[in-house]
Amino acid sequence: MPSRPAADDAVRSPIRALHQETRAVHVAAAELVGCRPLSVPLYQTSSFAFDDPAALAEAMSGPDGAFVYTRRGNPTVRALENTVAALEGGAAALATASGMGAISSVLLSLLRSGDHVIAQRCLYGGTFALFGELAERFGIEVSHVGGQDPDEVRRALRPRSRVLYLETIANPMTQVCDLPALIDVGRAHGLISVVDNSFASPLLCRPLEHGADVVVHSTTKYLGGHSDVLGGVAVFATEEQHLATWSRAVELGASADPFAAWLTIRGLQTLPLRMRAHCANAEFLAHRLAAHPAVRAVHWPGLSDHPDHLVAKRLLAGYGGVLAFDLAGGRGAGQMFISSVELASLAVSLGGVETLVLHPASTSHRELDEVSLRAAGIGPGTVRVAVGLEHRDDLWRDFEQALARCA
Ligand SMILES: *Cc1c(COP(=O)(O)O)cnc(C)c1O
């Protein structure tokens, strides 16, 4: 077969007589004229090529110039960052490989050895473990406070207090933090406030509006929303804070992968619709569960007997898709329930389209003894539900048959 001349417009090289190896390597993207892609393209590239050496040098000076190398920035990742920054009302955002990647990058950019952190007592397990590590290896001490009393923050202050770390809605008992009350104390004493907003999402709460300096998310949860991708994001009130954390994240290698960012963007586009449906399904189940004889108590911030209901009413635009309930039958009943559901799945995580159940005493919080469990508000028969988007009647039918076996 006669070899056809190289398609000149497919390669930049002026050399005509290219070998097959070279032609195979130099794939040129189609140029778009007079149109643009409707959805955000996936820039699955590790590096960006330059025609001008001076332009490359210029681009390497910071996060805001041309893209150089995907660990430092990528157009698909940037699209995700800009969207979440806009949703949270921040100046800039940094997307990371996971929620813990965002939390580690933020804390390691803010803290030096010998600093002091004031953190909420009920923390995501990974964050709690990170604080333990920071204390042991870098002498960064942590004092724990509840989420309601600003005086507790005042009493915990030390000369080296640097960060106030809070969660909008805590796992698994859905305590709601009085963000403005606690952040005001931190701000008055020069602390930087970081809020994990994963359980609320920017649809239900925007902590920056309550004075927070940094918001972190596990986008693995509601923002991605489909249990198919891991990711995190940190949103900053100021450009300066973004730049400081960006430098740390680039060094730590915590940056988001473009494909993960692309999947997250796809999920994010339906966040408002999904969040509304999660909240509505959770409300329905919370009321049904509260009226069931096998259930001793239901923990969901939308219920008027929830200890933080008034705070939730003031701060949240909806009460969230996570609830917990205590079975009268204790540990045995809890284990029976999670092994009896048929539609819901026994799994960690939350924020996806499918309903998940968990028995904290025997899984996520199994390392706590009865006293520590009680201190965290978790009972032996507590079940956590991450409510999904199935039809509510199907979910309740599944829960009812599982509850019948717990009597
Ligand atoms: C899951 C979760 C994290 C950690 O996020 P990953 O994406 O798993 O690293 C942090 N905070 C909260 C509240 C979470 O639910």
Side-chain angles (χ1 to χ4, degrees):
M1 198 164 129
S3 135
R4 300 200 313 179
D8 285 351
D9 60 352
V11 288
R12 283 179 196 279
S13 170
I15 302 164
R16 296 287 179 270
L18 294 173
H19 293 87
Q20 296 296 64
E21 288 84 347
T22 310
R23 290 184 191 177
V25 165
H26 287 259
V27 180
E31 249 179 72
L32 305 183
V33 180
C35 65
R36 60 191 161 81
L38 188 55
S39 73
V40 174
L42 171 55
Y43 284 90
Q44 191 70 25
T45 183
S46 59
S47 297
F48 298 82
F50 286 75
D51 296 323
D52 174 5
L56 172 56
E58 163 72 20
M60 291 184 76
S61 64
D64 295 327
F67 296 101
V68 176
Y69 184 58
T70 283
R71 178 155 50 75
R72 301 167 52 95
N74 173 287
T76 308
V77 176
R78 182 66 54 81
L80 170 63
E81 292 169 335
N82 290 343
T83 307
V84 181
L87 287 169
E88 286 285 3
L94 171 79
T96 52
S98 70
M100 285 312 300
I103 294 166
S104 308
S105 301
V106 167
L107 290 176
L108 290 171
S109 73
L110 291 174
L111 294 166
R112 292 170 188 278
S113 57
D115 279 348
H116 176 240
V117 175
I118 300 175
Q120 209 170 299
R121 195 164 289 116
C122 295
L123 283 175
Y124 176 71
T127 309
F128 191 84
L130 174 63
F131 278 129
E133 186 81 1
L134 291 175
E136 193 190 318
R137 303 191 54 201
F138 303 103
I140 296 165
E141 284 189 47
V142 182
S143 300
H144 290 288
V145 297
Q148 298 302 319
D149 183 6
D151 280 334
E152 229 188 324
V153 177
R154 236 171 249 123
R155 285 195 298 272
L157 286 164
R158 294 186 197 171
R160 293 277 312 259
S161 295
R162 171 102 174 116
V163 166
L164 175 66
Y165 191 95
L166 307 170
E167 295 187 1
T168 313
I169 304 175
N171 183 51
M173 306 310 284
T174 68
Q175 294 97 333
V176 180
C177 182
D178 192 345
L179 296 177
L182 272 61
I183 289 170
D184 278 355
V185 176
R187 169 159 288 227
H189 294 85
L191 273 68
I192 293 170
S193 299
V194 181
V195 179
D196 185 332
N197 199 33
S198 301
F199 272 51
S201 91
L203 268 296
L204 304 189
C205 184
R206 285 170 300 281
L208 298 179
E209 292 176 359
H210 300 294
D213 299 289
V214 185
V215 171
V216 290
H217 279 282
S218 167
T219 58
T220 313
K221 313 297 166 54
Y222 289 108
L223 272 54
H226 292 74
S227 315
D228 55 5
V229 61
L230 219 63
V233 68
V235 186
F236 305 90
T238 66
E239 296 283 356
E240 295 72 40
Q241 193 55 59
H242 170 256
L243 183 61
T245 304
W246 174 80
S247 304
R248 291 295 86 70
V250 167
E251 289 160 1
L252 289 166
S255 326
D257 176 77
F259 183 53
W262 187 82
L263 281 172
T264 305
I265 291 167
R266 189 178 156 108
L268 198 51
Q269 289 175 309
T270 54
L271 176 66
L273 291 173
R274 286 187 289 104
M275 211 60 212
R276 234 170 275 148
H278 282 295
C279 291
N281 271 358
E283 177 170 22
F284 176 79
L285 288 180
H287 287 288
R288 286 295 164 106
L289 285 164
H292 197 281
V295 176
R296 184 176 285 155
V298 179
H299 312 275
W300 185 65
L303 296 176
S304 57
D305 64 354
H306 187 286
D308 305 332
H309 176 63
L310 293 179
V311 176
K313 202 169 171 178
R314 175 158 48 86
L315 295 186
L316 306 180
Y319 298 107
V322 174
L323 63 85
F325 61 94
D326 302 333
L327 285 160
R331 183 176 286 264
Q335 282 168 333
M336 177 56 83
F337 183 86
I338 57 168
S339 44
S340 300
V341 286
E342 290 167 5
L343 197 56
S345 297
L346 170 59
V348 300
S349 198
L350 61 122
V353 292
E354 51 293 275
T355 295
L356 308 178
V357 296
L358 206 57
H359 180 228
S362 62
T363 55
S364 56
H365 295 67
R366 68 190 176 286
E367 275 145 38
L368 304 188
D369 57 23
E370 294 285 325
V371 178
S372 315
L373 271 180
R374 212 169 309 124
I378 301 167
T382 299
V383 171
R384 188 197 78 171
V385 186
V387 183
L389 303 183
E390 300 91 342
H391 193 285
R392 61 188 201 173
D393 293 339
D394 295 335
L395 282 176
W396 179 241
R397 203 172 309 131
D398 187 29
F399 277 29
E400 255 189 328
Q401 65 80 23
L403 288 167
R405 304 183 60 177
C406 300

PDB file of all heavy atoms in Angstrom, residues 94-116:
ATOM      1  N   LEU A  94      -9.451  25.177  45.868  1.00  0.00           N
ATOM      2  CA  LEU A  94      -8.385  24.236  45.523  1.00  0.00           C
ATOM      3  C   LEU A  94      -8.981  22.837  45.561  1.00  0.00           C
ATOM      4  O   LEU A  94      -9.442  22.393  46.618  1.00  0.00           O
ATOM      5  CB  LEU A  94      -7.260  24.363  46.559  1.00  0.00           C
ATOM      6  CG  LEU A  94      -6.162  23.326  46.492  1.00  0.00           C
ATOM      7  CD1 LEU A  94      -5.195  23.662  45.369  1.00  0.00           C
ATOM      8  CD2 LEU A  94      -5.415  23.256  47.817  1.00  0.00           C
ATOM      9  N   ALA A  95      -9.001  22.151  44.417  1.00  0.00           N
ATOM     10  CA  ALA A  95      -9.550  20.795  44.378  1.00  0.00           C
ATOM     11  C   ALA A  95      -8.428  19.798  44.675  1.00  0.00           C
ATOM     12  O   ALA A  95      -7.294  19.982  44.237  1.00  0.00           O
ATOM     13  CB  ALA A  95     -10.177  20.510  43.021  1.00  0.00           C
ATOM     14  N   THR A  96      -8.767  18.768  45.431  1.00  0.00           N
ATOM     15  CA  THR A  96      -7.765  17.792  45.870  1.00  0.00           C
ATOM     16  C   THR A  96      -8.235  16.368  45.563  1.00  0.00           C
ATOM     17  O   THR A  96      -9.383  16.146  45.172  1.00  0.00           O
ATOM     18  CB  THR A  96      -7.514  17.927  47.375  1.00  0.00           C
ATOM     19  OG1 THR A  96      -8.775  17.869  48.056  1.00  0.00           O
ATOM     20  CG2 THR A  96      -6.830  19.245  47.714  1.00  0.00           C
ATOM     21  N   ALA A  97      -7.313  15.421  45.787  1.00  0.00           N
ATOM     22  CA  ALA A  97      -7.589  14.029  45.446  1.00  0.00           C
ATOM     23  C   ALA A  97      -8.636  13.389  46.346  1.00  0.00           C
ATOM     24  O   ALA A  97      -9.252  12.387  45.978  1.00  0.00           O
ATOM     25  CB  ALA A  97      -6.291  13.226  45.509  1.00  0.00           C
ATOM     26  N   SER A  98      -8.841  13.952  47.543  1.00  0.00           N
ATOM     27  CA  SER A  98      -9.853  13.427  48.461  1.00  0.00           C
ATOM     28  C   SER A  98     -10.174  14.518  49.469  1.00  0.00           C
ATOM     29  O   SER A  98      -9.477  15.541  49.531  1.00  0.00           O
ATOM     30  CB  SER A  98      -9.316  12.191  49.198  1.00  0.00           C
ATOM     31  OG  SER A  98      -8.306  12.576  50.110  1.00  0.00           O
ATOM     32  N   GLY A  99     -11.197  14.283  50.267  1.00  0.00           N
ATOM     33  CA  GLY A  99     -11.518  15.234  51.332  1.00  0.00           C
ATOM     34  C   GLY A  99     -10.359  15.363  52.301  1.00  0.00           C
ATOM     35  O   GLY A  99     -10.003  16.473  52.723  1.00  0.00           O
ATOM     36  N   MET A 100      -9.742  14.239  52.656  1.00  0.00           N
ATOM     37  CA  MET A 100      -8.601  14.285  53.572  1.00  0.00           C
ATOM     38  C   MET A 100      -7.430  15.036  52.944  1.00  0.00           C
ATOM     39  O   MET A 100      -6.647  15.660  53.651  1.00  0.00           O
ATOM     40  CB  MET A 100      -8.178  12.871  53.988  1.00  0.00           C
ATOM     41  CG  MET A 100      -9.103  12.202  55.009  1.00  0.00           C
ATOM     42  SD  MET A 100      -9.557  13.223  56.450  1.00  0.00           S
ATOM     43  CE  MET A 100      -7.952  13.553  57.178  1.00  0.00           C
ATOM     44  N   GLY A 101      -7.308  14.988  51.617  1.00  0.00           N
ATOM     45  CA  GLY A 101      -6.268  15.757  50.926  1.00  0.00           C
ATOM     46  C   GLY A 101      -6.476  17.250  51.131  1.00  0.00           C
ATOM     47  O   GLY A 101      -5.517  18.005  51.338  1.00  0.00           O
ATOM     48  N   ALA A 102      -7.741  17.688  51.096  1.00  0.00           N
ATOM     49  CA  ALA A 102      -8.049  19.104  51.313  1.00  0.00           C
ATOM     50  C   ALA A 102      -7.773  19.481  52.766  1.00  0.00           C
ATOM     51  O   ALA A 102      -7.145  20.512  53.047  1.00  0.00           O
ATOM     52  CB  ALA A 102      -9.506  19.388  50.949  1.00  0.00           C
ATOM     53  N   ILE A 103      -8.230  18.631  53.691  1.00  0.00           N
ATOM     54  CA  ILE A 103      -8.075  18.926  55.122  1.00  0.00           C
ATOM     55  C   ILE A 103      -6.583  18.951  55.499  1.00  0.00           C
ATOM     56  O   ILE A 103      -6.120  19.874  56.169  1.00  0.00           O
ATOM     57  CB  ILE A 103      -8.864  17.895  55.966  1.00  0.00           C
ATOM     58  CG1 ILE A 103     -10.369  18.065  55.701  1.00  0.00           C
ATOM     59  CG2 ILE A 103      -8.548  18.024  57.452  1.00  0.00           C
ATOM     60  CD1 ILE A 103     -11.236  16.918  56.195  1.00  0.00           C
ATOM     61  N   SER A 104      -5.808  17.962  55.037  1.00  0.00           N
ATOM     62  CA  SER A 104      -4.372  17.921  55.343  1.00  0.00           C
ATOM     63  C   SER A 104      -3.660  19.133  54.753  1.00  0.00           C
ATOM     64  O   SER A 104      -2.815  19.743  55.409  1.00  0.00           O
ATOM     65  CB  SER A 104      -3.708  16.667  54.762  1.00  0.00           C
ATOM     66  OG  SER A 104      -4.397  15.524  55.133  1.00  0.00           O
ATOM     67  N   SER A 105      -3.959  19.467  53.509  1.00  0.00           N
ATOM     68  CA  SER A 105      -3.281  20.600  52.863  1.00  0.00           C
ATOM     69  C   SER A 105      -3.562  21.890  53.610  1.00  0.00           C
ATOM     70  O   SER A 105      -2.662  22.707  53.824  1.00  0.00           O
ATOM     71  CB  SER A 105      -3.725  20.744  51.408  1.00  0.00           C
ATOM     72  OG  SER A 105      -3.442  19.572  50.690  1.00  0.00           O
ATOM     73  N   VAL A 106      -4.829  22.075  54.007  1.00  0.00           N
ATOM     74  CA  VAL A 106      -5.197  23.315  54.715  1.00  0.00           C
ATOM     75  C   VAL A 106      -4.492  23.368  56.067  1.00  0.00           C
ATOM     76  O   VAL A 106      -3.861  24.373  56.415  1.00  0.00           O
ATOM     77  CB  VAL A 106      -6.734  23.402  54.889  1.00  0.00           C
ATOM     78  CG1 VAL A 106      -7.113  24.483  55.889  1.00  0.00           C
ATOM     79  CG2 VAL A 106      -7.402  23.671  53.543  1.00  0.00           C
ATOM     80  N   LEU A 107      -4.562  22.274  56.843  1.00  0.00           N
ATOM     81  CA  LEU A 107      -3.975  22.305  58.190  1.00  0.00           C
ATOM     82  C   LEU A 107      -2.454  22.434  58.127  1.00  0.00           C
ATOM     83  O   LEU A 107      -1.859  23.172  58.907  1.00  0.00           O
ATOM     84  CB  LEU A 107      -4.395  21.060  58.982  1.00  0.00           C
ATOM     85  CG  LEU A 107      -5.882  21.034  59.372  1.00  0.00           C
ATOM     86  CD1 LEU A 107      -6.235  19.734  60.073  1.00  0.00           C
ATOM     87  CD2 LEU A 107      -6.240  22.237  60.262  1.00  0.00           C
ATOM     88  N   LEU A 108      -1.828  21.739  57.170  1.00  0.00           N
ATOM     89  CA  LEU A 108      -0.366  21.819  57.083  1.00  0.00           C
ATOM     90  C   LEU A 108       0.100  23.167  56.548  1.00  0.00           C
ATOM     91  O   LEU A 108       1.235  23.565  56.763  1.00  0.00           O
ATOM     92  CB  LEU A 108       0.184  20.666  56.239  1.00  0.00           C
ATOM     93  CG  LEU A 108       0.062  19.296  56.930  1.00  0.00           C
ATOM     94  CD1 LEU A 108       0.412  18.179  55.962  1.00  0.00           C
ATOM     95  CD2 LEU A 108       0.942  19.226  58.169  1.00  0.00           C
ATOM     96  N   SER A 109      -0.774  23.888  55.857  1.00  0.00           N
ATOM     97  CA  SER A 109      -0.380  25.220  55.400  1.00  0.00           C
ATOM     98  C   SER A 109      -0.575  26.264  56.503  1.00  0.00           C
ATOM     99  O   SER A 109       0.075  27.299  56.499  1.00  0.00           O
ATOM    100  CB  SER A 109      -1.150  25.624  54.141  1.00  0.00           C
ATOM    101  OG  SER A 109      -2.482  25.933  54.447  1.00  0.00           O
ATOM    102  N   LEU A 110      -1.474  25.971  57.455  1.00  0.00           N
ATOM    103  CA  LEU A 110      -1.767  26.965  58.497  1.00  0.00           C
ATOM    104  C   LEU A 110      -0.930  26.783  59.749  1.00  0.00           C
ATOM    105  O   LEU A 110      -0.655  27.753  60.461  1.00  0.00           O
ATOM    106  CB  LEU A 110      -3.254  26.875  58.900  1.00  0.00           C
ATOM    107  CG  LEU A 110      -4.284  27.315  57.873  1.00  0.00           C
ATOM    108  CD1 LEU A 110      -5.696  27.017  58.382  1.00  0.00           C
ATOM    109  CD2 LEU A 110      -4.127  28.807  57.594  1.00  0.00           C
ATOM    110  N   LEU A 111      -0.553  25.515  60.049  1.00  0.00           N
ATOM    111  CA  LEU A 111       0.018  25.217  61.367  1.00  0.00           C
ATOM    112  C   LEU A 111       1.527  25.027  61.329  1.00  0.00           C
ATOM    113  O   LEU A 111       2.081  24.492  60.361  1.00  0.00           O
ATOM    114  CB  LEU A 111      -0.642  23.951  61.925  1.00  0.00           C
ATOM    115  CG  LEU A 111      -2.137  24.083  62.236  1.00  0.00           C
ATOM    116  CD1 LEU A 111      -2.760  22.713  62.448  1.00  0.00           C
ATOM    117  CD2 LEU A 111      -2.344  24.969  63.453  1.00  0.00           C
ATOM    118  N   ARG A 112       2.186  25.450  62.409  1.00  0.00           N
ATOM    119  CA  ARG A 112       3.606  25.187  62.645  1.00  0.00           C
ATOM    120  C   ARG A 112       3.707  24.421  63.947  1.00  0.00           C
ATOM    121  O   ARG A 112       2.806  24.477  64.780  1.00  0.00           O
ATOM    122  CB  ARG A 112       4.380  26.497  62.820  1.00  0.00           C
ATOM    123  CG  ARG A 112       4.472  27.308  61.592  1.00  0.00           C
ATOM    124  CD  ARG A 112       5.025  28.695  61.903  1.00  0.00           C
ATOM    125  NE  ARG A 112       4.913  29.523  60.717  1.00  0.00           N
ATOM    126  CZ  ARG A 112       5.785  29.497  59.719  1.00  0.00           C
ATOM    127  NH1 ARG A 112       6.856  28.736  59.786  1.00  0.00           N
ATOM    128  NH2 ARG A 112       5.620  30.247  58.651  1.00  0.00           N
ATOM    129  N   SER A 113       4.835  23.739  64.148  1.00  0.00           N
ATOM    130  CA  SER A 113       4.970  22.970  65.374  1.00  0.00           C
ATOM    131  C   SER A 113       4.875  23.925  66.570  1.00  0.00           C
ATOM    132  O   SER A 113       5.377  25.054  66.518  1.00  0.00           O
ATOM    133  CB  SER A 113       6.266  22.169  65.384  1.00  0.00           C
ATOM    134  OG  SER A 113       7.340  23.021  65.210  1.00  0.00           O
ATOM    135  N   GLY A 114       4.181  23.447  67.601  1.00  0.00           N
ATOM    136  CA  GLY A 114       3.966  24.264  68.794  1.00  0.00           C
ATOM    137  C   GLY A 114       2.666  25.053  68.761  1.00  0.00           C
ATOM    138  O   GLY A 114       2.243  25.600  69.775  1.00  0.00           O
ATOM    139  N   ASP A 115       1.990  25.107  67.585  1.00  0.00           N
ATOM    140  CA  ASP A 115       0.712  25.814  67.510  1.00  0.00           C
ATOM    141  C   ASP A 115      -0.366  25.022  68.235  1.00  0.00           C
ATOM    142  O   ASP A 115      -0.237  23.833  68.508  1.00  0.00           O
ATOM    143  CB  ASP A 115       0.285  26.006  66.037  1.00  0.00           C
ATOM    144  CG  ASP A 115       0.986  27.196  65.393  1.00  0.00           C
ATOM    145  OD1 ASP A 115       1.602  27.993  66.131  1.00  0.00           O
ATOM    146  OD2 ASP A 115       0.913  27.316  64.154  1.00  0.00           O
ATOM    147  N   HIS A 116      -1.469  25.706  68.512  1.00  0.00           N
ATOM    148  CA  HIS A 116      -2.595  25.122  69.233  1.00  0.00           C
ATOM    149  C   HIS A 116      -3.853  25.226  68.381  1.00  0.00           C
ATOM    150  O   HIS A 116      -4.071  26.235  67.697  1.00  0.00           O
ATOM    151  CB  HIS A 116      -2.782  25.874  70.562  1.00  0.00           C
ATOM    152  CG  HIS A 116      -3.972  25.437  71.354  1.00  0.00           C
ATOM    153  ND1 HIS A 116      -5.001  26.283  71.699  1.00  0.00           N
ATOM    154  CD2 HIS A 116      -4.282  24.225  71.879  1.00  0.00           C
ATOM    155  CE1 HIS A 116      -5.903  25.608  72.405  1.00  0.00           C
ATOM    156  NE2 HIS A 116      -5.488  24.370  72.532  1.00  0.00           N
TER     157      HIS A 116
END
